[in-house]
């Protein structure tokens, strides 16, 4: 990325991305607030908008194995969508997830950390196999066809879009692009149902507390 046009483009992209994330954050926080009040006050069945986060998916893991959401049942799942070429937010959040699991001690065995690539064009199985080695040893990375990834993102309410950038000289390089994407970390229960959403930048120790609470509340495998 160089030159005035590239810089302007990047800034515009960042602003648009921040706005989208802000709206998405508000949406999720509102949903969580809804769930809390419904569960505590009215005694209504707590099937709220939260039920719309999570659902069926069909992807390939970083060992080349075909997997679906059913392969993750029976354990909590800490799931994050991003892409390996992301230099900032994705690695930081994946590191926080790793920290959270480290702090859980033996309870970490009840949680499966999962990274879903939103960039299947570049994030092949081989790329993901290499990438996971930077993070928690039990991290599972998933990719798939463009259609499979789009379907998985949709069931988790994840926004993503490719943003073209231009290399020096202005020639378009088809491999040179960024992905705008939502960066929530979702905690799903052993039943595959939504439990919590953590904002991008959430500290690992905060996630640890919440995950421990969920496990101790009896949602174990
Ligand atoms: Ni990212």
């Amino acid at each position: 990325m160089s030159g005035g046009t590239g810089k302007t483009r990047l800034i515009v992209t960042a602003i648009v991305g921040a706005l989208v994330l802000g709206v998405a954050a508000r949406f999720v926080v509102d949903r969580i607030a809804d769930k809390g009040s419904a569960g505590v006050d009215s005694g209504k069945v707590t099937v709220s908008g939260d039920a719309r986060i999570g659902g069926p998916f069909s992807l390939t893991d970083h060992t080349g194995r075909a997997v679906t959401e059913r392969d993750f049942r029976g354990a909590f799942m800490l799931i994050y969508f991003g892409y390996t070429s992301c230099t900032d937010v994705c690695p930081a959040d994946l590191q926080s997830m790793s920290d959270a699991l480290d702090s859980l001690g033996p309870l970490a065995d009840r949680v499966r950390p999962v990274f879903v690539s939103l960039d299947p064009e570049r994030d092949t199985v081989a790329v993901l196999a290499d990438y996971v080695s930077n993070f928690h040893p039990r991290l599972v990375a998933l990719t798939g066809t463009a259609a499979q990834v789009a379907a998985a993102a949709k069931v988790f309410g994840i926004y993503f879009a490719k943003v073209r950038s231009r290399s020096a000289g202005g020639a378009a390089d088809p491999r040179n692009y960024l992905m705008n994407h939502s960066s929530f970390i979702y905690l799903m229960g052993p039943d595959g149902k939504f439990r919590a959403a953590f904002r991008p930048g959430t500290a690992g120790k905060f996630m640890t507390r919440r995950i421990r609470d969920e496990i101790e509340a009896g949602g174990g495998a």
Side-chain angles (χ1 to χ4, degrees):
M1 180 79 52
S2 71
T5 310
K7 223 168 236 174
T8 307
R9 223 172 237 268
L10 193 60
I11 290 165
V12 170
T13 300
I15 291 169
V16 170
L19 287 174
V20 168
L21 287 179
V23 170
R26 178 179 286 251
F27 173 79
V28 171
V29 169
D30 286 348
R31 292 294 180 195
I32 293 167
D34 287 345
K35 183 182 180 187
S37 59
V40 172
D41 298 328
S42 62
K44 285 177 193 161
V45 178
T46 55
V47 178
S48 66
D50 299 336
R52 283 192 278 166
I53 294 175
F57 59 79
S58 183
L59 294 163
T60 302
D61 76 10
H62 66 273
T63 70
R65 194 171 68 107
V67 296
T68 73
E69 79 289 350
R70 289 187 296 276
D71 293 300
F72 296 91
R73 293 280 163 82
F76 284 85
M77 177 167 65
L78 199 57
I79 185 169
Y80 183 77
F81 289 71
Y83 67 115
T84 68
S85 311
C86 181
T87 55
D88 186 9
V89 177
C90 287
D93 283 332
L94 287 169
Q95 188 56 51
S96 297
M97 287 167 60
S98 298
D99 293 346
L101 289 185
D102 286 342
S103 303
L104 273 170
L107 284 180
D109 293 344
R110 310 264 290 269
V111 185
R112 299 179 78 179
V114 179
F115 173 67
V116 183
S117 173
L118 295 168
D119 185 16
E121 195 178 322
R122 293 181 296 191
D123 288 344
T124 60
V125 166
V127 167
L128 292 182
D130 183 53
Y131 190 68
V132 293
S133 66
N134 295 306
F135 301 101
H136 194 274
R138 288 176 44 243
L139 180 64
V140 176
L142 305 177
T143 187
T145 65
Q148 286 175 324
V149 165
K154 191 174 181 191
V155 299
F156 281 88
I158 297 291
Y159 158 84
F160 71 108
K162 185 187 282 190
V163 184
R164 286 279 170 205
S165 58
R166 284 179 181 276
S167 54
D173 176 352
R175 302 279 295 175
N176 184 12
Y177 58 85
L178 304 172
M179 303 292 298
N180 273 346
H181 65 95
S182 330
S183 300
F184 292 99
I185 300 164
Y186 293 125
L187 179 66
M188 311 299 291
D191 54 2
K193 301 246 169 73
F194 173 85
R195 297 297 179 89
F198 303 106
R199 292 172 200 239
T202 298
K205 63 183 177 186
F206 181 86
M207 279 189 258
T208 302
R209 274 204 302 273
R210 181 63 194 263
I211 295 166
R212 182 176 284 132
D213 286 351
E214 289 286 342
I215 291 174
E216 287 171 355

